[in-house]
Amino acid sequence: MVKICCIGAGYVGGPTMAVIALKCPDIEVAVVDISVPRIDAWNSDKLPIYEPGLEDIVKQCRGKNLFFSTDVEKHVREADIVFVSVNTPTKTTGLGAGKAADLTYWESAARMIADVSVSDKIVVEKSTVPVKTAEAIEKILMHNSKGIKFQILSNPEFLAEGTAIADLFNPDRVLIGGRETPEGFKAVQTLKEVYANWVPVDQIITTNLWSAELSKLAANAFLAQRISSVNAMSALCESTGADVTQVSYAVGTDSRIGSKFLNASVGFGGSCFQKDILNLVYICQCNGLPEVAEYWKQVIKINDYQKNRFVNRIVSSMFNTVSNKKVAILGFAFKKDTGDTRETPAIDVCKGLLGDKALISIYDPQVTEKQIMRDLAMKKFDWDHPLHLQPMSPTTVKQVSVTWDAYAATKDAHAVCILTEWDEFKSLDYQKIFDNMQKPAFIFDGRNIMNVNKLREIGFIVYSIGKPLDPWLKDMPAFV
Ligand code: NAD
Ligand code: UDX
């Protein structure tokens, strides 16, 4: 029986390995982590991450060919293939701070693999890493290997949160990069055979190591660039009376452009886009390509602009002050169908409103009060720009409340801000919400999920990103 061990039981390691275990009953999969609470949760009824479809798979495989453990060394030692899926956040101090990927966790995992191994292994980069990381990892493994042979593969993950299981079941492609040597080709073939249990072989792309590593950063940069492009257009739409939804549709029907990923929003969030573009920017700078670095930086600058623009629109619409006004926040996760709040635009929007002394009342179906308070209390690292950076002071904490009900959040509020596109927000009773709010009652839809005309009929003053402006908003001084 082939044995796989995955180091890192997070948003990628957990779902990816659960699907491998489900699709490959002949493979024994161990997912290991240094975090005891995380592993305990994987072994409990309440998994540490919310992902549609995940629970069923874990229940089917756990204890049969899928195991979650903190005994990292034992499982690494026994494995034939070791995936490394540890976090690779942006460095916050030292050389490259604010841009470069922090490979501390990766390096310590590599050193541990070298220390505990007693047999040859394939080591798979699952984490998103800077191009050429495999070379550094190879050096660590080879220098400590006591004669054991390691083959390094790059197998970046393209799943998106909220649809992880569907993405893993039906990936557009699986990418495997390896050394172009006989041993390298053999290792690529071994991993290819694992995926071939459910992925058509013509969708398994094989490349050299550096192409695979760079393709992951490039794919995320291209995706984020589409969002920043449409968000830039949304600002122009508001100034001209065009409707960004119509523009996106018209543009996206060109088969060369395609319709996906053209939804204007309050800004993209998530643990990957900003981090990976900053990493790309840093790599370009290190390779003497400042113009290329500047080009990609703009994608993040527009994203920050969009978040700021949203806050400014709220404040300017409400007579230029939200001080002591209750503002309901519907949605805190960075997208629907996840409880993940990493880099969620909600953090920046809430901090912006708190800075203007609003009283905010937050409701999200999946994010806990503890998580929200932790996110708002955290000092955000400034990569390049002064964006609402202050941590919450004890007095600011009193301005925040978290509820488990959208109606409680919106009661007596002056404004409602929709920051995550949860389906349930579309079917709330907006007449009831309007009746219980202060007047004039505002809705700021940061996800374009609401029927603007229906809300206006009820009596709301509505702002929806990139849509023709409400007559009320047109007359307000423009600070956006
Ligand atoms: P995560 O923070 O959810 O999980 C990483 C886990 O690794 C943590 O539980 C941590 O405790 C563990 N860990 C760190 N060092 C360890 C060590 N030395 N030994 C054992 N465990 C260790 O991160 P994630 O979201 O799963 O992302 C992992 C990687 O995958 C990152 O490089 C990320 O860029 C990439 N990625 C993420 C996504 C996504 O949607 N989240 C998608 C594609 C790629
Ligand atoms: C992303 C990539 O899609 C995935 O391939 C990679 O493996 C990890 O990073 P993820 O961050 O989980 O996945 O979610 P994604 O669906 O890409 O959304 C990222 C952010 O962009 C979210 O905040 C989302 O709301 C926003 N978004 C997405 C838009 O604002 N408009 C869109 O049209 C699409």
Side-chain angles (χ1 to χ4, degrees), residues 155-343:
N155 172 220
E157 184 48 60
F158 295 101
L159 68 78
E161 286 176 33
T163 54
I165 299 303
D167 294 344
L168 288 162
F169 276 11
N170 287 306
D172 286 340
R173 78 304 205 187
V174 165
L175 177 58
I176 306 174
R179 283 279 184 200
E180 291 167 305
T181 58
E183 299 79 14
F185 289 131
K186 194 169 161 229
V188 168
Q189 187 57 29
T190 303
L191 187 57
K192 197 172 171 179
E193 279 163 19
V194 172
Y195 284 106
N197 279 290
W198 79 98
V199 180
V201 278
D202 57 352
Q203 280 166 242
I204 306 177
I205 304 171
T206 57
T207 64
N208 74 28
L209 270 172
W210 325 128
S211 303
E213 288 180 335
L214 187 55
S215 297
K216 175 63 197 177
L217 295 180
N220 273 355
F222 277 46
L223 288 168
Q225 182 201 44
R226 277 174 82 91
I227 303 169
S228 280
S229 297
V230 78
N231 282 346
M233 284 299 160
S234 74
L236 190 55
C237 286
E238 288 165 29
S239 304
T240 56
D243 180 331
V244 75
T245 317
Q246 295 174 355
V247 173
S248 293
Y249 181 73
V251 171
T253 45
D254 185 324
S255 60
R256 292 168 302 175
I257 296 173
S259 60
K260 292 182 183 164
F261 250 69
L262 285 180
N263 295 324
S265 66
V266 57
F268 60 73
S271 64
C272 294
F273 283 168
Q274 173 164 311
K275 162 178 87 73
D276 293 345
I277 294 177
L278 288 171
N279 185 353
L280 187 65
V281 165
Y282 183 68
I283 295 169
C284 293
Q285 287 169 344
C286 293
N287 281 283
L289 302 168
E291 290 82 359
V292 185
E294 271 313 302
Y295 174 77
W296 288 112
K297 230 189 214 183
Q298 278 305 317
V299 173
I300 302 178
K301 286 192 172 169
I302 286 288
N303 200 45
D304 287 341
Y305 164 75
Q306 190 74 345
K307 291 183 274 189
N308 273 326
R309 206 167 74 74
F310 191 76
V311 173
N312 292 349
R313 178 67 80 185
I314 298 169
V315 177
S316 67
S317 306
M318 296 170 72
F319 318 103
N320 237 358
T321 174
V322 287
S323 179
N324 283 319
K325 292 178 185 167
K326 180 174 173 183
V327 177
I329 303 291
L330 298 188
F332 199 83
F334 81 98
K335 65 187 280 197
K336 74 171 180 177
D337 291 337
T338 177
D340 193 354
T341 59
R342 291 178 290 179
E343 299 296 336

